[in-house]
Amino acid sequence: MNSSFEAVTPSDGNNSVVHLDAPIIPDSSSRSNMTIIQTPNGTLMEQDHIFLNTVAAQALSGLFVWTALLITCHQIYTHLRSYTVPNEQRYIIRILFIVPVYAFDSWLSLLFIGNDQYYVYFDSVRDCYEAFVIYNFLSLSFEYLGGESAIMSEIRGKPIQSSILYGTCCLSGMSYSIGFLRFCKQATLQFCVVKPIMAVITIVLQAFGKYHDGDFNVNGGYLYITIIYNFSVSLSLYALFLFFFATSDLLRPYEPVLKFLTIKSVIFLSFWQGMVLAILERCNVIPNALFIDGYEVGAGTVAAGWQNFIICIEMFFAAIALRYAFTCTVYQEKKNDVPEHNIPPCRQYTQQSMQEVVPPSSSTNGKVTVGNKNPRKSDKIMLITSDDEF
């Protein structure tokens, strides 16, 4: 097809519109500091810049990023000052670092939006930390409840309630077991393995020019990585929902709803947010850029830029939400307490209950007698012990 074009220069002289039957790629000498975008009707428009690489966008996103960093770093500092329950606070501090990693990573990606797609490498670091945060969040939940054994002693044998919201309709008639808990744990942690592996594969494909955000071509890697990510994310989120559904009563003293929603929205919703933006660019709702500041960019660069810009804004609100979700007040109150108060409530209950049991002396039929205590607690302990033996 013969290339034909018509150049139209506006009165301000800043932009020019080129109507093309076939794209004309300018040579390196003529595209210095040039930004060329392709409109939905196929028109190539030359501009001085797009919003994402303006000083205004970089300054606005930087303001939100550095404010979020100050809020989160101060919260981390307060936890370190009142480091009274290390078994819990070490996980909390690791989770809180998601704001600095996400915010600063996204800001750097935005600053280098047109430079050889460096944002792909920055985003891979963010992806790896996502997996680390999921691991620590699940570990913190187990630590709150005193570990796997303590959780099973509370929920074992209870019927699983049917709920459309939590996706337990197909589990109606079943009861909680060690297999159920192991499924929740393994299905959640598989995301911690898949995410870093996919990040490494993305970097390799990017190096060979086989990966572009929003490029759903079957010959590229984005389509297949997105499918694997979606399956892994969906399975992990479903398993976390099941775990939360099963232990919501036990976790209630720790106000789990805000913690759960904040972490899940930061990690899982941000992933789907990026995928939606990539689809919008693919559907020409978001303009496709061919050159940014004189650098040739691939498909999906503008969508990834908007994703990073939005994350920079969102991290400010995430920092505020995490400040309330993982407050340091409870640990500051324990700062002058005796060490045994640092034991999680489930473990305190277990230890207290075991201390109430006295060895059988004059008991009959081999039954354990409890001195001046509620016999129901004794029955519960015996039932748990009996179940564990089997």
Side-chain angles (χ1 to χ4, degrees):
M1 181 181 295
N2 295 327
S3 299
S4 62
F5 66 91
E6 176 185 358
V8 180
T9 304
S11 58
D12 58 10
N14 292 330
N15 302 330
S16 62
V17 180
V18 181
H19 299 282
L20 298 170
D21 292 331
I24 297 177
I25 305 300
D27 55 33
S28 59
S29 60
S30 62
R31 68 176 188 238
S32 178
N33 296 325
M34 179 186 298
T35 297
I36 299 178
I37 64 173
Q38 186 174 16
T39 60
N41 60 4
T43 301
L44 295 186
M45 179 179 295
E46 179 184 343
Q47 297 180 338
D48 290 338
H49 51 69
I50 58 176
F51 174 74
L52 293 174
N53 65 335
T54 60
V55 175
Q58 296 171 355
L60 180 62
S61 59
L63 177 63
F64 279 92
V65 165
W66 287 102
T67 304
L69 288 176
L70 289 175
I71 294 173
T72 304
C73 289
H74 178 265
Q75 185 180 4
I76 293 174
Y77 172 75
T78 56
H79 272 283
L80 293 176
R81 281 287 303 271
S82 304
Y83 202 60
T84 53
V85 189
N87 290 341
E88 295 178 7
Q89 288 177 282
R90 63 181 177 180
Y91 296 121
I92 292 176
I93 291 174
R94 294 171 186 174
I95 292 172
L96 292 177
F97 266 106
I98 191 175
V99 171
V101 171
Y102 257 62
F104 196 67
D105 178 279
S106 299
W107 194 50
L108 286 178
S109 298
L110 192 62
L111 294 180
F112 294 95
I113 184 174
N115 292 5
D116 296 327
Q117 292 188 302
Y118 288 153
Y119 73 89
V120 175
Y121 304 102
F122 290 130
D123 293 350
S124 296
V125 176
R126 188 176 68 197
D127 292 343
C128 292
Y129 200 80
E130 286 180 4
F132 187 60
V133 168
I134 290 297
Y135 163 76
N136 283 280
F137 181 74
L138 187 64
S139 299
L140 176 63
S141 300
F142 272 76
E143 185 65 32
Y144 278 152
L145 302 177
E148 187 176 277
S149 299
I151 296 173
M152 284 311 306
S153 68
E154 294 292 337
I155 69 173
R156 175 182 291 157
K158 293 182 179 180
I160 301 177
Q161 298 179 0
S162 178
S163 172
I164 298 177
L165 178 62
Y166 288 92
T168 58
C169 299
C170 57
L171 303 178
S172 179
M174 299 177 61
S175 59
Y176 293 114
S177 63
I178 189 64
F180 172 87
L181 188 61
R182 294 281 171 83
F183 168 79
C184 294
K185 187 176 182 179
Q186 294 171 359
T188 301
L189 294 181
Q190 56 80 26
F191 177 79
C192 303
V193 178
V194 172
K195 194 71 171 178
I197 292 177
M198 291 297 102
V200 173
I201 294 176
T202 298
I203 293 176
V204 174
L205 292 176
Q206 169 68 19
F208 287 94
K210 295 295 184 179
Y211 179 89
H212 298 287
D213 279 315
D215 184 6
F216 291 93
N217 193 307
V218 294
N219 295 323
Y222 179 81
L223 174 63
Y224 306 104
I225 289 178
T226 300
I227 293 174
I228 296 174
Y229 267 156
N230 266 291
F231 177 79
S232 179
V233 166
S234 301
L235 179 60
S236 181
L237 186 59
Y238 175 67
L240 279 173
F241 266 115
L242 289 180
F243 177 77
F244 178 78
F245 182 69
T247 61
S248 57
D249 292 336
L250 303 177
L251 287 171
R252 186 171 290 114
Y254 302 97
E255 300 178 353
V257 176
L258 183 57
K259 295 181 176 66
F260 184 85
L261 293 180
T262 303
I263 297 299
K264 300 314 148 215
S265 61
V266 170
I267 294 179
F268 296 113
L269 294 186
S270 63
F271 166 74
W272 282 312
Q273 174 181 273
M275 191 175 65
V276 169
L277 288 171
I279 294 174
L280 290 178
E281 182 176 356
R282 184 70 175 178
C283 297
N284 295 322
V285 177
I286 298 176
N288 179 32
L290 303 181
F291 294 89
I292 297 179
D293 290 338
Y295 293 95
E296 185 177 359
V297 296
T301 300
V302 177
W306 278 111
Q307 165 78 335
N308 288 313
F309 178 79
I310 294 172
I311 288 178
C312 289
I313 308 298
E314 291 173 339
M315 284 303 102
F316 168 74
F317 300 100
I320 297 176
L322 288 171
R323 189 174 184 86
Y324 288 98
F326 297 96
T327 178
C328 190
T329 304
V330 63
Y331 301 106
Q332 290 174 336
E333 294 174 353
K334 294 181 179 181
K335 192 170 184 179
N336 297 323
D337 290 351
V338 294
E340 72 175 13
H341 288 177
N342 295 339
I343 303 174
C346 285
R347 294 182 182 177
Q348 289 180 357
Y349 170 78
T350 303
Q351 291 183 1
Q352 181 181 359
S353 300
M354 292 303 294
Q355 291 173 356
E356 293 172 357
V357 181
V358 296
S361 55
S362 59
S363 59
T364 59
N365 298 327
K367 295 183 179 180
V368 179
T369 60
V370 180
N372 299 326
K373 299 296 179 181
N374 189 345
R376 291 184 179 181
K377 289 187 177 180
S378 174
D379 293 341
K380 182 177 182 180
I381 297 168
M382 288 298 296
L383 178 60
I384 294 172
T385 304
S386 176
D387 288 344
D388 290 339
E389 290 175 354
F390 288 102

